[in-house]
Structures are given as C-alpha cells and as structure tokens.
Amino acid sequence: MKPKLKRVFQCQSCGYISPKWIGKCPDCGAWNSFVEEVIEAESISKKAETARLKTLEDIQPVPISSIKITLSDRLSTGISELDRVLGGGVVRGSLVLIGGDPGIGKSTLLLQATDNLAKKYGRVLYVSGEESLTQIKLRAERLGAISENILLLSETLVEKILDWASEEELNALVVDSIQTVYTEEAMSAPGSVSQIRESATKFINFAKQKGIPVFLIGHVTKEGAIAGPRVLEHLVDTVLYFEGDRGYAYRILRSVKNRFGPTNEIGVFEMTGTGLIEVENPSLIFLSEHSQNSGSAITATIEGTRAILTEIQALVAPSNFGMPRRNFIGVDYQRVNLLVAVLEKRGRINLAGADIFVNVVGGLKITEPSSDLAVISAIVSSFRDIPLHEGMVIFGEVGLSGEIRAISQTEMRLKEASRIGMKHAIIPKSNLERLKEKFNLKIKGVGSINELIEIIGS
Ligand code: TYD
Ligand code: MG
C-alpha cells in the first residue's frame, strides 16, 4: 500500500510542523523559517509504535558495575588538537558533527584526519556529495593524504551509502556534507529539516551497530547555526564548530556539545599551503605581535581545560558625530557597554563623547567575565594614552558597583602567564588572598576599579 502523503509547512530551524505557512515559529521563535514539505500522514505515530514494540522485545537492563570502559574505545585522529577537542580521541560508535562557514577548512581537516585514521587503523570511507572524486584527489595530493586505505565515494543516497558500508570492513566514515545527502524515507528535498533528521538518524544507527565513528560535516546558516540546527544538535553525540576569520590563517575548533568529553574545549590550527597544522602554543601566537602602545592589555582566559593568553585592544577617540560609535569584536557587546557605564559612574571617567573600539586580537571570542578587568584596563590605557606595564597579565570580573570579584582557576591562568614569560599580574584581591602556590610573577591584588585606575596611572 502506498503511504498517504500530506503537505505541511515545517520550521527549518527546529522542526515544528504547521498546516499553513507562518512568519514566526511559535516554538523556537525563528523568523521566516517555514518551508513546504511532504510527509507521510500518520508516519510519526506509526513509527513510534514500531519502535516501541521493537524495544520491548530486547529490553535488557544491566548493572552499572558490569559495564567496562576500555581505552581502545577511542581512536586517535592523529591530530592532537582535534583529539583533545573530542575529549581524547574519537569514541567508537559515536556521531560527530563538524559545522562551520563555507571555505573555513572542514573538508581539509577531515581529509587529514581520514588519512591518519586510515594509516593507523585501516580502511576509512570518505563520502562526498559536494565535490567530485577528482576535486578530492587534488586536495588530497596537496595535503599528502593519499593512503591506500582511503576509500572515496561520490554518492548522495543514504541507503546506498549504508548498504555498501554495512557489508565492508571499515574503521570510520566521513560524510561531506549532511545537507547534500538524502534518504528515500523522507519525501522532502535534500537539506530540509526532515531530510537532515532522517538521514542523521540512519547514520547514528549505523555508527552504533557497526561500532565505528561517523563524522558529519554540516553547513552553517547566515545566523551562524548549523542548518537544521536544533534537530541535529540534539541527535548527535558531539558538535564541533570550526570558527575563524577567513582573512586570517588561524582557525579555532570549538566543542559546543560533547557526550564524551569537556565542552568549550578549543583546538587552534593554522591554514597553510599544505593543509591545517596544529598550533601547540596558542598563547604565543595570540601575543606574537602584541603591541607596547597604550590601549593594549593581556588577559588569560580558560578555554575548556587550559588557559590561553590573548591580547585585548581598545581605542578611545573623541567622536566627530553626535552619536559616539561603539564597536566591539570578540567580546560580548552588552558586557562591554556595561563596563563602560561602570567606568563612567564608579571610575569617574567621562567617556560620553568618545568613540570606543575594542578588539580581541587573533580572532578568539571571549565569553568569560574574567576578561572584564583587561577590557577596562585597555580602555583606560587608551583614554589616558598611558601604555600598561610590559609583560603584565590582567584578569578579574567587575561588578556593577565597581568592585572586583573573584574568579575561578586563578592558578591555571597564572601558571600559563609565567610559562609564557609574563612578569606582572593584576588579579582580584580575594583571589590573591587565597593563592596557595608560588609564582614567578609580581602579583598585585585589586579590590575596586579605582585601585586599578590608580595602578594604570602610576
Ligand atoms: P575546505 O576544506 O574546502 O573548506 P570547507 O570544506 O569548510 O568549505 O577549505 C577551503 C579553503 O582552504 C580554500 O579557500 C583553500 C584553503 N586551503 C589552503 O589554504 N590550504 C590547503 O592545503 C587546502 C587543502 C585548502
Ligand atoms: Mg567542504
């Protein structure tokens, strides 16, 4: 019997179904996200019923103590920055989604990983729905990734890919990209939410059954989320984002979800003529051209499991227009506006008629409030045109009444600062009192922004 088909409108962001077109999704709030799709009527309830009957048959709880974890459950991709972001290698049977803007280097990274996996463990299948086999070969030659054990397949039908892959001996599967493949089970066009969800579910089942890792490449929409984002992010085990300005050579790989490791861990890469190379010492890179002029402050942020030093620059200049310009890159816009207000009210620095620009050098996006103190220092330093001490690292959170609040992991930050060769540190007073270790740094504790402004002035 032919399944009954039904036309509906589905939100491409969260999968919400509506019988008619609507401008704003009532579920996730996305605008203009509804697209007409064809689905099987009753398919959802029927599928749920079959799934229930199936699980009832093989329900078998096991005692938690009897579950063994072995180290061989993880494969090393041969790229240590990628392994670290994954939580120490990729877990067998897991599904990893890698998202990022076009041209950022997703295919390059995965082809390099494929080559390493193939050399170490044996056959790896790289499926591309985006590029021809010749194009991939050209890239592979550039990267020197031409191991015998890399198998290439140019195919977009999920059933065909998995039929072949299930029969063969494979150690990993890469799908480039999830938006180009489609399954016969969903009626809509490739790239639509229902296609992405159905296809991803098939890859998940395949990964679990076969016990090999599957990497999916995902495109990013204008808004910066993976197309068909929520549905996909919920399904997979690990979500990594590849970020960075295409104008710069540096790329940052960040884990935003990881069932098998820490989140917010970052890996830093440099795009070269022969592929991506790992940057093992990101602090040195971010500080390599660090300026000795006024308006520059160095802070230490925690990214996942390690501390990284970066430079924050500010430029404060008299405004020529009625409305002063405020432009902040790499830091939270609202947060910096708040810090400017605190500086005006508590620090008695009049910034009302000034244009203020703040930039985090090297393309890192800082989300931690621990950078507050460095942002304020950079602004004050530029405003007064006084350079900060050479080799000084600054971190701490600033409260609304101008007090400096304690932050976490002070020791890790100071350790990294002294390893990089910093000489001075300004940290919250309460953190200084609690310090247990000794560091090769002259450390000053500050309790309010006025104390900080005094230090900058002296
Ligand atoms: P690619 O991996 O194709 O990006 P994505 O899959 O995310 O769309 O990378 C494309 C860019 O990287 C392209 O602009 C060329 C550049 N590139 C290099 O600079 N060096 C290299 O060795 C390779 C393979 C690509
Ligand atoms: Mg690509």
Side-chain angles (χ1 to χ4, degrees), residues 39-50:
I39 59 165
E40 278 174 50
E42 295 167 298
S43 69
I44 294 166
S45 56
K46 234 189 233 157
K47 262 184 208 159
E49 181 67 10
T50 352

PDB file of all heavy atoms in Angstrom, residues 39-50:
ATOM      1  N   ILE A  39       5.195  15.019   3.942  1.00  0.00           N
ATOM      2  CA  ILE A  39       5.481  13.962   4.903  1.00  0.00           C
ATOM      3  C   ILE A  39       4.412  12.884   4.786  1.00  0.00           C
ATOM      4  O   ILE A  39       3.368  13.090   4.186  1.00  0.00           O
ATOM      5  CB  ILE A  39       5.517  14.496   6.366  1.00  0.00           C
ATOM      6  CG1 ILE A  39       4.175  15.132   6.732  1.00  0.00           C
ATOM      7  CG2 ILE A  39       6.649  15.470   6.569  1.00  0.00           C
ATOM      8  CD1 ILE A  39       4.012  15.340   8.220  1.00  0.00           C
ATOM      9  N   GLU A  40       4.703  11.717   5.346  1.00  0.00           N
ATOM     10  CA  GLU A  40       3.702  10.651   5.353  1.00  0.00           C
ATOM     11  C   GLU A  40       2.727  10.953   6.468  1.00  0.00           C
ATOM     12  O   GLU A  40       3.119  11.162   7.608  1.00  0.00           O
ATOM     13  CB  GLU A  40       4.375   9.316   5.660  1.00  0.00           C
ATOM     14  CG  GLU A  40       5.017   8.679   4.468  1.00  0.00           C
ATOM     15  CD  GLU A  40       5.775   7.439   4.898  1.00  0.00           C
ATOM     16  OE1 GLU A  40       5.193   6.606   5.613  1.00  0.00           O
ATOM     17  OE2 GLU A  40       6.943   7.327   4.528  1.00  0.00           O
ATOM     18  N   ALA A  41       1.446  10.941   6.149  1.00  0.00           N
ATOM     19  CA  ALA A  41       0.447  11.148   7.197  1.00  0.00           C
ATOM     20  C   ALA A  41       0.549   9.991   8.182  1.00  0.00           C
ATOM     21  O   ALA A  41       0.790   8.849   7.796  1.00  0.00           O
ATOM     22  CB  ALA A  41      -0.940  11.197   6.569  1.00  0.00           C
ATOM     23  N   GLU A  42       0.396  10.273   9.425  1.00  0.00           N
ATOM     24  CA  GLU A  42       0.450   9.276  10.499  1.00  0.00           C
ATOM     25  C   GLU A  42       1.824   8.622  10.657  1.00  0.00           C
ATOM     26  O   GLU A  42       1.960   7.684  11.416  1.00  0.00           O
ATOM     27  CB  GLU A  42      -0.571   8.157  10.284  1.00  0.00           C
ATOM     28  CG  GLU A  42      -2.014   8.635  10.354  1.00  0.00           C
ATOM     29  CD  GLU A  42      -2.934   7.561   9.815  1.00  0.00           C
ATOM     30  OE1 GLU A  42      -2.817   7.221   8.633  1.00  0.00           O
ATOM     31  OE2 GLU A  42      -3.726   7.047  10.610  1.00  0.00           O
ATOM     32  N   SER A  43       2.788   9.063   9.853  1.00  0.00           N
ATOM     33  CA  SER A  43       4.067   8.353   9.893  1.00  0.00           C
ATOM     34  C   SER A  43       4.695   8.431  11.279  1.00  0.00           C
ATOM     35  O   SER A  43       5.278   7.469  11.753  1.00  0.00           O
ATOM     36  CB  SER A  43       5.027   8.942   8.866  1.00  0.00           C
ATOM     37  OG  SER A  43       5.394  10.234   9.281  1.00  0.00           O
ATOM     38  N   ILE A  44       4.516   9.560  11.931  1.00  0.00           N
ATOM     39  CA  ILE A  44       5.226   9.740  13.195  1.00  0.00           C
ATOM     40  C   ILE A  44       4.690   8.801  14.262  1.00  0.00           C
ATOM     41  O   ILE A  44       5.433   8.078  14.919  1.00  0.00           O
ATOM     42  CB  ILE A  44       5.153  11.217  13.647  1.00  0.00           C
ATOM     43  CG1 ILE A  44       5.926  12.066  12.643  1.00  0.00           C
ATOM     44  CG2 ILE A  44       5.730  11.397  15.036  1.00  0.00           C
ATOM     45  CD1 ILE A  44       5.703  13.523  12.722  1.00  0.00           C
ATOM     46  N   SER A  45       3.333   8.736  14.377  1.00  0.00           N
ATOM     47  CA  SER A  45       2.779   7.874  15.413  1.00  0.00           C
ATOM     48  C   SER A  45       3.042   6.409  15.084  1.00  0.00           C
ATOM     49  O   SER A  45       3.313   5.594  15.958  1.00  0.00           O
ATOM     50  CB  SER A  45       1.291   8.146  15.563  1.00  0.00           C
ATOM     51  OG  SER A  45       0.665   7.963  14.312  1.00  0.00           O
ATOM     52  N   LYS A  46       2.981   6.065  13.797  1.00  0.00           N
ATOM     53  CA  LYS A  46       3.215   4.677  13.406  1.00  0.00           C
ATOM     54  C   LYS A  46       4.646   4.274  13.721  1.00  0.00           C
ATOM     55  O   LYS A  46       4.913   3.201  14.245  1.00  0.00           O
ATOM     56  CB  LYS A  46       2.952   4.529  11.909  1.00  0.00           C
ATOM     57  CG  LYS A  46       1.949   3.410  11.612  1.00  0.00           C
ATOM     58  CD  LYS A  46       1.904   3.170  10.130  1.00  0.00           C
ATOM     59  CE  LYS A  46       0.475   3.237   9.617  1.00  0.00           C
ATOM     60  NZ  LYS A  46       0.425   3.558   8.193  1.00  0.00           N
ATOM     61  N   LYS A  47       5.563   5.174  13.387  1.00  0.00           N
ATOM     62  CA  LYS A  47       6.977   4.877  13.619  1.00  0.00           C
ATOM     63  C   LYS A  47       7.247   4.689  15.101  1.00  0.00           C
ATOM     64  O   LYS A  47       7.980   3.802  15.509  1.00  0.00           O
ATOM     65  CB  LYS A  47       7.847   6.011  13.082  1.00  0.00           C
ATOM     66  CG  LYS A  47       8.393   5.699  11.711  1.00  0.00           C
ATOM     67  CD  LYS A  47       9.323   6.787  11.274  1.00  0.00           C
ATOM     68  CE  LYS A  47       9.316   6.875   9.770  1.00  0.00           C
ATOM     69  NZ  LYS A  47       9.766   8.160   9.300  1.00  0.00           N
ATOM     70  N   ALA A  48       6.622   5.548  15.905  1.00  0.00           N
ATOM     71  CA  ALA A  48       6.825   5.461  17.346  1.00  0.00           C
ATOM     72  C   ALA A  48       6.323   4.109  17.854  1.00  0.00           C
ATOM     73  O   ALA A  48       6.960   3.466  18.695  1.00  0.00           O
ATOM     74  CB  ALA A  48       6.076   6.594  18.042  1.00  0.00           C
ATOM     75  N   GLU A  49       5.218   3.663  17.297  1.00  0.00           N
ATOM     76  CA  GLU A  49       4.633   2.383  17.722  1.00  0.00           C
ATOM     77  C   GLU A  49       5.573   1.221  17.371  1.00  0.00           C
ATOM     78  O   GLU A  49       5.840   0.354  18.207  1.00  0.00           O
ATOM     79  CB  GLU A  49       3.264   2.218  17.041  1.00  0.00           C
ATOM     80  CG  GLU A  49       2.518   0.946  17.398  1.00  0.00           C
ATOM     81  CD  GLU A  49       2.082   0.912  18.867  1.00  0.00           C
ATOM     82  OE1 GLU A  49       2.191   1.947  19.564  1.00  0.00           O
ATOM     83  OE2 GLU A  49       1.660  -0.153  19.311  1.00  0.00           O
ATOM     84  N   THR A  50       6.088   1.212  16.157  1.00  0.00           N
ATOM     85  CA  THR A  50       7.010   0.139  15.765  1.00  0.00           C
ATOM     86  C   THR A  50       8.250   0.156  16.644  1.00  0.00           C
ATOM     87  O   THR A  50       8.741  -0.890  17.071  1.00  0.00           O
ATOM     88  CB  THR A  50       7.478   0.301  14.281  1.00  0.00           C
ATOM     89  OG1 THR A  50       6.728   1.336  13.689  1.00  0.00           O
ATOM     90  CG2 THR A  50       7.353  -0.978  13.522  1.00  0.00           C
TER      91      THR A  50
END
